[in-house]
């Protein structure tokens, strides 16, 4: 039995993933990290994961000894199975895989969440039929995964494919990484949502569902059109850079972007047709596995 763990910036998902990449059962829990220091946050996350693993096992009536391996999809960078720099959770370094390995006595691997989601799309989803592909996860930030000849590109020193930190504006928005003008400060879903929320003075805690409806209701509004056009222009700029360097057959957009596809995807396709490339224009597809991609990909390979 394989357990996939999806550690997000504000929640944890735990699921049993079958050998053919299907989620048999999953549980999710929000993380409340307010007023906790780094050590307390890490302990709390481990407790939440262990509790939810017990919960999914109880649901299917399986004992713990049937667990064969655990995979963790995590934000931040992962090096030597140690997670580094999860900005949203105020964690600098987290040996979560090692701690769970000691607890369960089975192999536990951690990998960056965008890489996991990309691997899942490559193996079971939208990228299944392509060998040279780029996966872009547009969520709180922008993560990426690159595939050449069907294999994930994995540099020796780190995980690579940090498309979110490609600079598209020399003196642009300040990024969490310390640089200015990074792609993700313009084109993450968080950046898009923040533009809408701030321009229309909406409640900053508005749910995605309500926000999508608000955007749909205001598609004729000039200010809304400007926000969408700016977002798409920057997205096309970033995608053009990626195409010129990688020249993939296909780029798959995943993460929260898929949820907002009604207002963003067709505009993107129209704009990309007008863009000038040195190389062939790739196909642009949407992720098929949605929020489950990270959990599924965490146990692949
Ligand atoms: Zn950056």
């Amino acid at each position: 039995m394989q357990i996939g763990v999806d550690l997000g910036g504000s929640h944890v998902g735990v699921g049993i993933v079958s050998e053919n990449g299907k989620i048999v059962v999953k549980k999710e829990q929000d993380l409340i990290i307010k007023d906790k220091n780094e050590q307390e946050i890490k302990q709390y996350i481990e407790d939440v994961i262990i509790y939810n693993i017990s919960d999914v096992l109880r649901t299917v009536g399986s004992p713990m000894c049937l667990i064969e391996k655990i995979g963790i999809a995590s934000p931040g960078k992962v090096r030597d199975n140690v997670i580094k720099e999860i900005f949203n959770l105020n964690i600098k370094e987290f040996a979560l895989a090692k701690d769970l390995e000691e607890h369960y006595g089975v192999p536990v691997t951690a990998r960056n969440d965008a890489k996991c989601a990309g691997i899942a799309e490559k193996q079971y989803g939208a990228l299944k039929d392509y060998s040279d592909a780029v996966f872009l996860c547009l969520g709180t930030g922008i993560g990426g995964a690159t595939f050449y000849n069907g294999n994930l590109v994995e540099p020796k020193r780190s995980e690579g494919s940090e498309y979110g930190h490609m600079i598209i504006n020399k003196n642009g928005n300040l990024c969490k990484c310390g640089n200015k003008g990074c792609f993700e400060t313009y084109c993450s879903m968080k950046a898009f949502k923040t533009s809408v929320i701030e321009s229309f003075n909406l409640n900053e805690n508005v749910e995605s569902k309500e926000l999508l409806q608000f955007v749909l209701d205001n598609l004729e509004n000039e200010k809304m059109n400007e926000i969408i056009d700016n977002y798409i222009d920057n997205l096309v700029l970033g995608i053009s850079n990626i195409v010129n360097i990688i020249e993939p057959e296909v780029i798959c957009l995943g993460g929260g972007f898929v949820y907002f596809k009604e207002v963003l995807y067709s505009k993107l396709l129209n704009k990309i047709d007008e863009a000038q490339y040195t190389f062939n224009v790739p196909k642009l597809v949407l992720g098929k596995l949605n929020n489950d991609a990270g959990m599924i990909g965490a146990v692949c390979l």
Side-chain angles (χ1 to χ4, degrees), residues 207-232:
E207 296 276 326
S208 288
K209 197 177 160 190
E210 284 170 55
L211 192 65
L212 174 62
Q213 194 55 52
F214 182 81
V215 176
L216 285 167
D217 291 344
N218 288 280
L219 282 179
E220 302 299 319
N221 181 296
E222 202 179 320
K223 204 159 49 166
M224 185 65 82
N225 270 304
E226 206 178 299
I227 293 169
I228 294 174
D229 286 347
N230 270 335
Y231 177 83
I232 297 295

Side-chain angles (χ1 to χ4, degrees), residues 178-194:
N179 283 326
K180 282 182 178 171
C182 290
F183 187 35
E184 72 173 32
T185 68
Y186 295 90
C187 294
S188 65
M189 284 318 292
K190 188 179 175 190
F192 175 73
K193 289 177 185 175
T194 304

Side-chain angles (χ1 to χ4, degrees), residues 165 175 177 182:
H165 299 288
C175 181
C177 75
C182 290

Side-chain angles (χ1 to χ4, degrees), residues 129-150:
D129 300 324
Y130 301 94
S131 62
D132 295 345
V134 168
F135 175 73
L136 285 180
C137 190
L138 309 179
T140 312
I142 296 182
T146 310
F147 298 88
Y148 263 132
N149 296 322

Side-chain angles (χ1 to χ4, degrees), residues 12-290:
V12 162
V14 167
I16 297 174
V17 184
S18 73
E19 294 294 332
N20 56 359
K22 295 268 187 299
I23 292 180
V24 180
V25 56
K26 69 172 177 180
K27 302 277 174 182
E28 282 173 299
Q29 186 172 332
D30 284 340
L31 291 174
I32 298 148
I33 58 160
K34 222 176 141 201
D35 304 325
K36 294 185 179 76
N37 65 34
E38 182 174 348
Q39 195 47 46
E40 289 166 342
I41 292 169
K42 291 193 281 194
Q43 188 58 55
Y44 165 66
I45 290 170
E46 290 186 1
D47 291 346
V48 168
I49 291 171
I50 289 168
Y51 171 81
N52 281 282
I53 289 179
S54 301
D55 210 18
V56 291
L57 291 176
R58 238 191 329 268
T59 307
V60 294
S62 285
M64 206 168 87
C65 63
L66 287 184
I67 299 175
E68 291 161 289
K69 70 169 179 179
I70 298 172
I72 303 160
S74 168
K77 294 186 171 76
V78 181
R79 216 162 147 184
D80 299 327
N81 231 8
V82 176
I83 304 163
K84 313 227 174 190
E85 295 168 10
I86 314 180
F87 295 116
N88 290 318
L89 294 170
N90 299 324
I91 291 175
K92 287 197 186 74
E93 196 169 297
F94 196 3
L96 175 61
K98 194 172 137 269
D99 292 348
L100 292 181
E101 211 161 70
E102 278 168 16
H103 184 88
Y104 291 101
V106 297
V108 181
T109 50
R111 200 190 278 269
N112 167 271
D113 49 6
K115 306 285 178 296
C116 289
I119 290 167
E121 293 290 353
K122 178 77 189 74
Q123 205 142 327
Y124 304 108
L127 296 176
K128 210 165 63 174
D129 300 324
Y130 301 94
S131 62
D132 295 345
V134 168
F135 175 73
L136 285 180
C137 190
L138 309 179
T140 312
I142 296 182
T146 310
F147 298 88
Y148 263 132
N149 296 322
N151 299 315
L152 178 72
V153 174
E154 290 186 285
K156 283 199 175 66
R157 294 174 59 194
S158 189
E159 292 186 300
S161 298
E162 286 286 358
Y163 296 114
H165 299 288
M166 163 175 60
I167 293 168
I168 61 166
N169 184 354
K170 188 182 166 196
N171 292 311
N173 301 336
L174 184 64
C175 181
K176 282 180 297 189
C177 75
N179 283 326
K180 282 182 178 171
C182 290
F183 187 35
E184 72 173 32
T185 68
Y186 295 90
C187 294
S188 65
M189 284 318 292
K190 188 179 175 190
F192 175 73
K193 289 177 185 175
T194 304
S195 305
V196 177
I197 289 167
E198 285 179 357
S199 298
F200 291 91
N201 293 316
L202 304 179
N203 182 333
E204 62 178 82
N205 296 319
V206 61
E207 296 276 326
S208 288
K209 197 177 160 190
E210 284 170 55
L211 192 65
L212 174 62
Q213 194 55 52
F214 182 81
V215 176
L216 285 167
D217 291 344
N218 288 280
L219 282 179
E220 302 299 319
N221 181 296
E222 202 179 320
K223 204 159 49 166
M224 185 65 82
N225 270 304
E226 206 178 299
I227 293 169
I228 294 174
D229 286 347
N230 270 335
Y231 177 83
I232 297 295
D233 282 350
N234 285 316
L235 190 53
V236 170
L237 181 56
I239 287 176
S240 304
N241 289 339
I242 295 169
V243 170
N244 279 317
I245 296 166
I246 309 288
E247 205 183 350
E249 300 169 85
V250 58
I251 292 180
C252 176
L253 303 167
F257 184 88
V258 180
Y259 193 74
F260 280 81
K261 63 184 174 190
E262 276 173 274
V263 289
L264 300 175
Y265 186 47
S266 62
K267 287 221 176 198
L268 173 66
L269 293 181
N270 291 339
K271 255 283 155 59
I272 218 103
D273 277 344
E274 297 164 13
Q276 298 292 311
Y277 292 107
T278 317
F279 304 111
N280 299 319
V281 178
K283 285 202 178 73
L284 275 175
V285 299
L286 295 171
K288 283 186 178 166
L289 303 171
N290 299 328

